[in-house]
Amino acid sequence: MEILTALHNRVSKPRLVEPGPSDEQLAGIFQAALRAPDHAMLKPWRFLTIAGTGLEKLGQLFAEAAKQDQPDLSQEALNKYLGMPLRAPMIIVVICSPKPHLKVPEVEQILSTGAATQNMLLACHGMELGAMWRTGAMAYHTHVKAGLGIGTDELLAGFLYVGTPQGSTKRIPELNLTDFVQNWPLNKK
């Protein structure tokens, strides 16, 4: 796939089914992540892959976290949390693991992790896999982070749901570039 075509046409795919990525595709996805801009080559990220019964265990972790916040949560609501990870055959957990560095502040390392995640999304798109970057309350919950082995000095940047896209592709409206791009210095009247 030509690079500009991929960049201009990638959209999130919320409906994902089996098969998930093959081992070869997964290696390509992670290789793309490792090519993200990275000041001082710190590689301030790490990734967890969750598939199979791991998805059910992640759902249990989500339900436990929700129950901590709302002890009287209905079974219907708990079932929603249990089912969240089952929306794709694989989830890649993206973790920002900042490294102390005199010249590279944490914000740059967080941005680098975001770039690594975008590279993974583009790699999935280029391989005709569907992907959806999700966050939400579970990405920030201390119980979920602890259950996944994410340190208190790390950030859970998101859950990348990956699989075979199902259904139609969402049409994204064309945006007017002049709404977002200006020449500088700005012309002041």
Side-chain angles (χ1 to χ4, degrees), residues 6-7 20 32 44 62 70 85 106 112-113 121 128 141 143 148 153 159 168 172 175 183 187:
L7 288 166
F62 285 177
Q70 302 172 60
E106 185 174 304
S112 184
T113 302
L121 288 168
E128 298 183 1
H141 202 287
H143 182 74
L148 291 170
D153 57 338
F159 301 99
S168 61
I172 303 295
L175 300 174
N183 290 323
N187 293 329

Side-chain angles (χ1 to χ4, degrees), residues 20-58:
S22 67
D23 289 343
E24 183 180 339
Q25 288 173 318
L26 204 52
I29 291 166
F30 289 123
Q31 196 61 41
L34 299 180
R35 296 297 301 151
D38 177 19
H39 189 179
M41 307 270 308
L42 297 176
K43 304 293 181 243
W45 51 67
R46 63 189 186 91
F47 311 101
L48 303 174
T49 58
I50 303 175
T53 58
L55 295 170
E56 293 170 10
K57 290 180 182 179
L58 182 60

Side-chain angles (χ1 to χ4, degrees), residues 62-74:
F62 285 177
E64 290 167 6
K67 195 84 165 145
Q68 282 182 2
D69 292 344
Q70 302 172 60
D72 58 344
L73 205 58
S74 71

Side-chain angles (χ1 to χ4, degrees), residues 141-181:
H141 202 287
T142 55
H143 182 74
V144 172
K145 287 177 64 177
L148 291 170
I150 297 172
T152 56
D153 57 338
E154 295 180 307
L155 306 167
L156 197 163
F159 301 99
L160 194 60
Y161 286 63
V162 182
T164 300
Q166 184 180 49
S168 61
T169 298
K170 172 174 61 172
R171 262 192 68 68
I172 303 295
E174 290 291 324
L175 300 174
N176 185 349
L177 295 179
T178 59
D179 291 341
F180 304 95
V181 181

Side-chain angles (χ1 to χ4, degrees), residues 1-12 32 114-115 117-127 172-175 177:
M1 183 179 290
E2 189 203 325
I3 189 73
L4 284 178
T5 300
L7 288 166
H8 294 173
N9 293 305
R10 192 214 66 80
V11 294
S12 295
T117 306
Q118 174 68 2
N119 281 4
M120 290 191 289
L121 288 168
L122 287 168
C124 288
H125 180 64
M127 291 185 261
I172 303 295
E174 290 291 324
L175 300 174
L177 295 179

Side-chain angles (χ1 to χ4, degrees), residues 63 67 72-84:
K67 195 84 165 145
D72 58 344
L73 205 58
S74 71
Q75 188 59 49
E76 182 180 334
L78 279 175
N79 288 343
K80 178 184 170 205
Y81 286 100
L82 289 166
M84 288 169 75

